Amino acid sequence: MKKRLYLELENCIGCRSCLAACTQCGGHEERNRNYVYDVNPLVNRQTMPLMCLHCVNPACARSCPAQAIQIHETGAVLSALVEKCIGCQNCTIACPYGIPKFDTEQNLMYKCDLCIDRSKDGIPPMCASVCPSNTLQWLTDEEIEAKQKQFNLDNGKWVTSMPYLEGETNVRVNLPGILQGVTKLF
Amino acid sequence: MQTNLSTNPKQGRSVNDAFASHFAKSMFLSILALGILTFIGTRMFTHIDLNLYGYMIGTIVFIGGFFYRFIAWGERPPTKIIIKKGLKQLFRKSTPKTAAEHLVTYKFIWHRGIYRWLQHFLIGGGCILSCFVTFPLVFGWMYFTMDDNGYYTVVGLGMNLMKVSADGIIAFFFYNALNITAVMVITGVCMALYRRLKNMQARAEQKFMYDFLPLYMLLFISVTGLLLTFMNVVLHGWGQPVMSLIHQFSVIVTLIYLPFGKLAHIPFRPMSVFARNYREHYSEEAEKECKVCGSHFVSVEQSQDVIDVLGLNNMEFFKKEGFHLAELCLPCRRKYRIAQFSGIATHEIKVKEANQNAKG
């Protein structure tokens, strides 16, 4: 059963558990690869997480001269292969979401790999495992569809991912109803 | 036919730009260079060690595979840019230092872990030293003659380089160079295998074909090579002819495999020096200002190159605000995305991104 990461952005309470959990994933060497942003920091406390959305046609891999960024059969866009990455940082410039990080000392790019050691066996990635507010969830396509029905929004406002992203992604992002001025029905 | 030609989208590209032309040209020049060097080195083909002819053929097949892989790889737009612009910056003042750090001392691997550095240093150093010994011997660029009894003359590229005592310490290192490198490689490979068996992350990601096969092949080469010495010294040559064929087989198979698996990073690694030079040179020329916050984050040249490469891949991230996403610094690009979700222009708010490292 193929599951995907599903973000329900408005649920985020800014606890940064996902960042902490990311550091604990095997191979991440205690450095997190995701972000949490204040949406309107001088006005309110709304936060939103941002992580690699695992594009179907990833700009980072397209711009890599060394073919170091590989795509796993599950669709996850992997962190650069350590022996291939030549440290040009094209990927950090190409990514439309600004996700890849770069370690100048190790001359190596690193990015979210959807905790591939876990997710390839159907175990949710660290961030989704710990999220206390259900902002990050690990769901099948059917479950995501069921969510749409549950929200019961007949006004076309329930959207996942497009057109608010640059292309098709494997991660599904749900738009925050509250900030769009739409009441979300739990 | 005429109209067909005029609508050909690749018009203007001559046959000289074709993959086959690049391949043929590179092969021709390499084999010509090998031939000339061998002609000089062997004093007009009078000192060829025919015992090693299998390695010679193996090397030529390897060169074919190498160019096939490398030229196909160089056709990718981003690769082409780095190779072209990297070559132009080859003679920067910092090149020797960068090259030494990237290709000899592997300083960047040290930062990834001392255990991994040691294993890589042993495997890499052993392999590269072995190549420096083996290939000159195979092509006759280096051989030994004995004019005076008890003294070897080392002949390099047809010139008498030095005279060494046959029992001396230098000669000892000449005889045993490959034994020493074999021990280095075996130690390194064992360290790598141990890591792959114990490290949980490595165990999650490794594949037999990609990660284990090259290690086993290096082990195969080193062990059969050491066995040759063992058979000569201890068994007085028993089984040596058969073992030398097995060893030759192991080396040739590895050479043919080399450009297509994990070991391909050996010939490709000099690209990292190109990349460093490319970044340093163009950063000195002009730094790109983020279109939102104005901070410098990359060179103008690289930003433009990435935009071009993405364009070739039909990815146009031009936004209605009048910038391409590759012209935004990373925090601004992330905030811009948050802004798309929320409708609030987060990237315009002059507040530094808060606590992105989960340190409380």
Side-chain angles (χ1 to χ4, degrees), chain B residues 13-14 38 113 115 126 134 137 159 167 177 181 191 199 207 210 221 232 272 303-304 312 316 322-323 327 337 339 343:
Chain B
R13 268 172 65 97
S14 82
T38 307
Y115 184 91
T134 307
L137 289 177
M159 293 172 287
D167 310 322
T181 55
M191 284 175 79
N199 184 299
K207 291 197 176 72
Y210 192 73
I221 293 179
N232 278 337
S272 71
S303 171
Q304 191 53 50
L312 285 173
E316 304 285 359
F323 48 69
E327 295 179 313
R337 187 54 45 190

Side-chain angles (χ1 to χ4, degrees), chain A residues 111-125:
Chain A
K111 67 176 277 298
C112 165
D113 53 3
L114 220 55
C115 299
I116 195 64
D117 51 336
R118 299 164 61 86
S119 60
K120 78 170 162 40
D121 296 325
I123 309 170

Side-chain angles (χ1 to χ4, degrees), chain B residues 230-286:
Chain B
F230 176 79
M231 285 173 161
N232 278 337
V233 175
V234 181
L235 304 181
H236 306 294
W238 180 85
Q240 204 266 3
V242 176
M243 188 51 70
S244 87
L245 278 181
I246 297 175
H247 181 64
Q248 202 168 78
F249 170 80
S250 70
V251 173
I252 291 169
V253 166
T254 308
L255 273 180
I256 294 170
Y257 160 81
L258 194 144
F260 301 101
K262 195 173 197 176
L263 298 177
H265 78 272
I266 305 167
F268 292 176
R269 198 67 219 180
M271 284 281 293
S272 71
V273 181
F274 285 18
R276 174 63 61 87
N277 282 354
Y278 164 77
R279 282 183 62 80
E280 281 177 356
H281 174 79
Y282 290 109
S283 286
E284 283 165 15
E285 251 182 17

